[in-house]
Amino acid sequence: MLDIAPIAAFSDNYIWLLRNPGGRIAAVVDPGDEAPVLAYLAREGLQLGAILVTHHHADHTGGVHELLAAHPGIPVFGPAGERIPGISRPLREGDRVRLEGIDAEFTVWDVPGHTAGHIAYYGAGALFCGDTLFAAGCGRVFGGTLRDLHASLQRIAALPTDTLLFCAHEYTLDNLGFAQWVEPDNRELSRREADERARRDRGEPTVPSVLGLELATNPFLRVGREEVRRAAERHAGRSLPTDQEVFAVVRTWKDREYD
Ligand code: ZN
Ligand code: FE
């Protein structure tokens, strides 16, 4: 069992820190900023052993250079398909990642969509999915395509329902607002919104989320459901015979009218 903790960065990023329970060696995922990571390591008396990166955006990579300078020689894992300075261990679909001093092994998944070369790390019942899937939402399409993103999310949806999803942003309440535009009658959604709001009021993160809950409340994982298809068709003013078309309409609907 791994100990996984969020390090808050910028206004709404999470940098995930992994270690064995009580372990002294840590790895971080998507360090967009070095300062909160260095402070956390110092406070907890930890040594940084590895950096994992999911995609090239600055809010996920901006701290790599300084962390490497402070911890020379540690491996930096990241997508082979994106140009990211500092990466020493380029990864592709199916590669395995073992981290020194941390008892877990991760399998690399290509999850294009948010960016064309985005990867995720799957292992120990957890998926580190960067900006691909968010709690109750998903990433915007920047470098990849809507078709890619839909396929990546479908793949995530097929994982065991107790998989913990470690995304990189605290967007949950905002995403739940849009989810209720799509499915105003989904009772799970209103329940979830109350739970997550209480969590935020206590100052707690709403992530990781669990796949089972996402399948019940995340419109981007629910494009095969009749309710979601009907809402998308109403919005688009035409019939949408495939899940892919429903997905594209829901994603663009949110982009253009919600945020
Ligand atoms: Zn991003
Ligand atoms: Fe991001």
Side-chain angles (χ1 to χ4, degrees):
M1 203 49 205
L2 275 187
D3 185 338
I4 305 172
I7 301 174
F10 309 117
S11 58
D12 54 33
N13 279 71
Y14 291 125
I15 299 165
W16 294 105
L17 181 137
L18 287 54
R19 58 169 150 157
N20 288 341
R24 286 274 154 252
I25 301 183
V28 289
V29 183
D30 284 352
D33 186 3
E34 70 282 2
V37 175
L38 292 169
Y40 191 100
L41 294 170
R43 192 172 66 239
E44 299 280 322
L46 300 175
Q47 191 188 327
L48 190 62
I51 297 171
L52 291 83
V53 168
T54 63
H55 67 293
H56 71 87
H57 288 158
D59 64 311
H60 300 252
T61 58
V64 169
H65 183 81
E66 291 300 322
L67 288 175
L68 258 182
H71 302 269
I74 63 168
V76 182
F77 299 90
E82 302 199 336
R83 288 158 73 99
I84 304 171
I87 288 201
S88 52
R89 308 283 289 273
L91 300 171
R92 291 191 166 77
E93 168 70 33
D95 284 347
R96 299 281 168 105
V97 174
R98 277 206 193 80
L99 304 170
E100 207 62 29
I102 295 173
D103 299 325
E105 187 182 56
F106 296 95
T107 304
V108 174
W109 281 22
D110 282 337
V111 286
H114 175 65
T115 64
H118 200 304
I119 61 171
Y121 299 88
Y122 177 56
L127 182 77
F128 295 90
C129 54
D131 289 353
T132 300
L133 178 80
F134 293 125
C138 72
R140 281 171 181 259
V141 170
F142 286 120
T145 65
L146 284 164
R147 184 174 294 274
D148 287 342
L149 185 57
H150 178 233
S152 295
L153 293 178
Q154 286 298 107
R155 195 173 167 197
I156 293 171
L159 283 168
T161 53
D162 61 354
T163 304
L164 293 176
L165 303 166
F166 292 83
C167 63
H169 290 272
E170 178 63 61
Y171 290 159
T172 314
L173 287 182
D174 193 52
N175 285 337
L176 285 167
F178 177 73
Q180 290 177 98
W181 281 19
V182 180
E183 289 190 271
D185 299 327
N186 182 336
R187 308 250 319 260
E188 289 290 322
L189 261 176
S190 31
R191 244 200 305 274
R192 181 175 189 185
E193 198 190 21
D195 289 349
E196 307 289 26
R197 199 168 290 284
R199 224 163 253 137
R200 295 306 292 146
D201 288 345
R202 294 194 298 268
E204 295 168 11
T206 61
V207 280
S209 72
V210 62
L211 180 59
L213 182 61
E214 293 305 321
L215 293 172
T217 54
N218 187 325
F220 299 100
L221 296 184
R222 293 171 58 76
V223 295
R225 306 281 298 223
E226 193 53 30
E227 313 83 288
V228 175
R229 188 173 60 79
R230 275 201 309 268
E233 287 182 338
R234 261 195 311 276
H235 180 75
R238 62 190 161 93
S239 80
L240 302 168
T242 67
D243 293 357
Q244 165 57 37
E245 286 166 275
V246 175
F247 179 80
V249 164
V250 175
R251 182 61 266 186
T252 13
W253 179 5
K254 183 166 189 282
D255 286 343
R256 291 189 185 148
E257 292 179 35
Y258 186 77
D259 51 25

